[in-house]
Amino acid sequence: AQSVTQPDIHITVSEGASLELRCNYSYGATPYLFWYVQSPGQGLQLLLKYFSGDTLVQGIKGFEAEFKRSQSSFNLRKPSVHWSDAAEYFCAVDMSGGYQKVTFGTGTKLQVIP
Amino acid sequence: EAQVTQNPRYLITVTGKKLTVTCSQNMNHEYMSWYRQDPGLGLRQIYYSMNVEVTDKGDVPEGYKVSRKEKRNFPLILESPSPNQTSLYFCASRGLQGEGEQYFGPGTRLTVT
């Protein structure tokens, strides 16, 4: 079955430190890939997306992600975390070629300590 | 302003009492979806629609119905709600143009007692 795995349920980093959130998917072809962020009590905001082309994609708020086909991964990174980045992050995968059949990972909750 | 709206935002109901959560988008989007969000489970897709009168099941469709009679609206219907449907529900839409970005509504928190 197609699946999306975010192995880290909770991550704590110090403000100013670098961040990497992991996402792996199980699917035969290259899916459409997304990262969303959800602040407490809020809806979801798209950080970045990958469909094809350059495997390193830039998003909003200084985030980037790299698609690695050989590892079926799409990890999210940020070089220097700010306290306002504390939120829950979701990786999502559209394995239907854009026909809206989307699977989300279970999320990674990020805590930022001063 | 481009947006997806959901109503109600909060709802407390009792087991077995039929309810409808409305979703409307003003972006003329073809695709619409419903998700439920539960702690530790992320978002799970309930139903999605590719256009008017075209819907399909997501990963957790049991206990839910949807309809797509108009392009802008995609209501979620719980014919006989049960406590295990207590959850946070999100509606989303996206257009044919662009590259798959979904726009999410603000969410509906449903409690079934």
Side-chain angles (χ1 to χ4, degrees):
Chain A
Q2 298 159 350
S3 64
V4 180
T5 302
Q6 291 182 247
D8 304 304
I9 298 172
H10 192 271
I11 282 183
T12 300
V13 300
S14 299
E15 191 168 16
S18 64
L19 172 70
E20 183 170 27
L21 302 182
R22 296 182 289 165
C23 174
N24 292 91
Y25 63 89
S26 170
Y27 182 59
T30 299
Y32 296 171
L33 299 158
F34 308 87
W35 274 100
Y36 289 87
V37 60
Q38 185 180 35
S39 297
Q42 303 296 311
L44 286 93
Q45 181 181 25
L46 180 70
L47 286 175
L48 45 77
K49 58 193 176 186
Y50 173 81
F51 298 95
S52 64
D54 192 347
T55 56
L56 184 63
V57 294
Q58 302 297 320
I60 63 172
K61 303 185 179 188
F63 285 92
E64 66 178 27
E66 185 172 13
F67 168 59
K68 293 187 177 180
R69 187 189 310 274
S70 61
Q71 298 177 19
S72 297
S73 69
F74 188 57
N75 294 347
L76 182 72
R77 301 193 294 245
K78 187 170 185 177
S80 178
V81 170
H82 188 262
W83 63 266
S84 61
D85 293 324
E88 191 159 19
Y89 292 80
F90 293 95
C91 178
V93 177
D94 181 338
M95 305 186 210
S96 63
Y99 286 99
Q100 199 69 346
K101 179 71 172 69
V102 179
T103 300
F104 278 76
T106 52
T108 297
K109 196 163 289 187
L110 174 65
Q111 181 182 9
V112 180
I113 55 177
Chain B
E1 179 189 355
Q3 61 182 352
V4 179
T5 57
Q6 297 178 225
N7 282 293
R9 294 289 313 279
Y10 302 90
L11 178 60
I12 300 174
T13 189
V14 297
T15 299
K17 185 176 181 182
K18 180 180 179 179
L19 66 92
T20 299
V21 183
T22 64
C23 172
S24 183
Q25 49 93 4
N26 63 0
M27 296 168 279
N28 201 36
H29 282 170
E30 285 74 18
Y31 296 115
M32 297 187 75
S33 290
W34 275 104
Y35 298 88
R36 60 177 290 175
Q37 183 178 18
D38 302 289
L41 297 178
L43 280 83
R44 293 178 292 167
Q45 194 174 46
I46 303 170
Y47 271 95
Y48 61 103
S49 170
M50 290 162 277
N51 215 322
V52 175
E53 302 290 4
V54 182
T55 63
D56 205 351
K57 296 177 181 178
D59 294 320
V60 288
E62 295 78 19
Y64 304 94
K65 286 176 56 177
V66 293
S67 69
R68 189 92 182 272
K69 298 190 188 312
E70 303 169 282
K71 197 172 185 180
R72 63 182 292 124
N73 295 323
F74 190 44
L76 179 69
I77 303 156
L78 285 71
E79 295 267 3
S80 182
S82 62
N84 64 13
Q85 292 179 297
T86 292
S87 187
L88 178 60
Y89 291 86
F90 287 100
C91 179
S93 75
R94 81 165 179 91
L96 284 175
Q97 302 303 315
E99 294 180 304
E101 175 180 352
Q102 293 191 88
Y103 294 82
F104 282 84
T108 295
R109 186 164 293 281
L110 172 66
T111 302
V112 184
T113 61

